[in-house]
Amino acid sequence: MKNKSTEKVLYITAPVNALVEGLYRENTSISEIIKKGNFGLGTFDDLDGEMVILEGKAYQLKSDGQAYKVSPSQMTPFACITQFEPYSFEEVDTSINLKELYGFLDKTLPSKNMIYAIKIEGEFSYIKTRSVPKQESYKPLVEVARNQPEFSYKNISGSMVGFWTPDFMDKITVPGYHLHFLSKNLELGGHLLDCQTKKIKISIQHVARVELSLPITLDFMTTDLSRDITKDLNEAEN
Ligand SMILES: [Zn+2]
């Protein structure tokens, strides 16, 4: 049994329901979140693309499908980060799609009431992603998500980076599996929609603690966040 103080923490910059209600600027800098860990995902202020943090480096996967370097001063309205030191590994060298991959993870994860950081690296015969386009004016997330560019790649190597979070965290994070993809050459990626694997290695680490920031911004302090966002979040993220 590990000492509480050495247990891994999932740091969340803001509850996801604020993002669902259209609070796309929460002004937490990348330099701040990188202090909290080396692995994670999220988005950027004004919903300017998807975020991947892998091996301590942040990448911005913009709506052109390309991956860009991130400067420490860039801001995020929502990101989840942890220190990733996986201890459990699985290898799959059969061809399975995303639904089957989730089924495999369902059988592998010891409890659905725990948080897991999950990295899946390897070769894929097919990857489908999407990236949210930068918003110039306010639109609810569910509407933005209806008009987001999607990308398909064949025979590509890379990493899926993300988390399993329990259903009871559904106003704080995207519940269930949430993975972003970054190509091995660090040039392409986005929010993962589907895949067909060739040969993959799955690395898993449980996370038993959560640190949640509540942004001290006028928008956050004054927006009604009591609405049930389950349906919107489901539509926007799946
Ligand atoms: Zn995502």
Side-chain angles (χ1 to χ4, degrees), residues 36-184:
K36 303 284 187 179
N38 60 0
F39 181 93
L41 53 66
T43 183
F44 293 87
D45 269 15
D46 301 320
L47 284 186
D48 191 8
E50 314 282 341
M51 180 196 295
V52 163
I53 296 172
L54 184 60
E55 290 165 9
K57 289 199 184 78
Y59 301 89
Q60 185 174 14
L61 313 168
K62 291 197 194 180
S63 60
D64 59 1
Q66 309 279 317
Y68 295 83
K69 281 195 182 136
V70 174
S71 82
S73 61
Q74 273 177 267
M75 300 288 186
T76 174
F78 176 74
C80 300
I81 301 95
T82 194
Q83 188 64 28
F84 191 54
E85 286 153 16
Y87 51 79
S88 169
F89 303 94
E90 301 283 341
E91 285 186 18
V92 178
D93 55 10
T94 51
S95 177
I96 54 174
N97 63 25
L98 191 59
K99 214 177 146 205
E100 292 162 332
L101 179 58
Y102 287 166
F104 180 83
L105 290 170
D106 284 345
K107 283 186 256 158
T108 306
L109 302 179
S111 167
K112 286 293 180 66
N113 297 335
M114 186 57 61
I115 297 163
Y116 301 92
I118 302 167
K119 182 170 86 163
I120 302 166
E121 59 186 323
E123 298 165 35
F124 303 88
S125 53
Y126 175 69
I127 287 281
K128 185 179 177 188
T129 65
R130 69 107 212 266
S131 281
V132 279
K134 185 177 182 185
Q135 299 301 297
E136 306 293 343
S137 59
Y138 164 78
K139 237 194 245 175
L141 186 67
V142 67
E143 276 175 44
V144 174
R146 282 179 194 141
N147 296 301
Q148 54 196 351
E150 296 182 355
F151 303 91
S152 299
Y153 306 105
K154 285 197 172 142
N155 300 316
I156 185 166
S157 296
S159 295
M160 299 168 175
V161 170
F163 300 95
W164 162 271
T165 51
D167 281 348
F168 58 76
M169 288 177 66
D170 62 357
K171 283 188 173 180
I172 310 295
T173 60
V174 177
Y177 298 105
H178 184 194
L179 297 168
H180 288 182
F181 179 81
L182 178 67
S183 65
K184 194 178 179 188

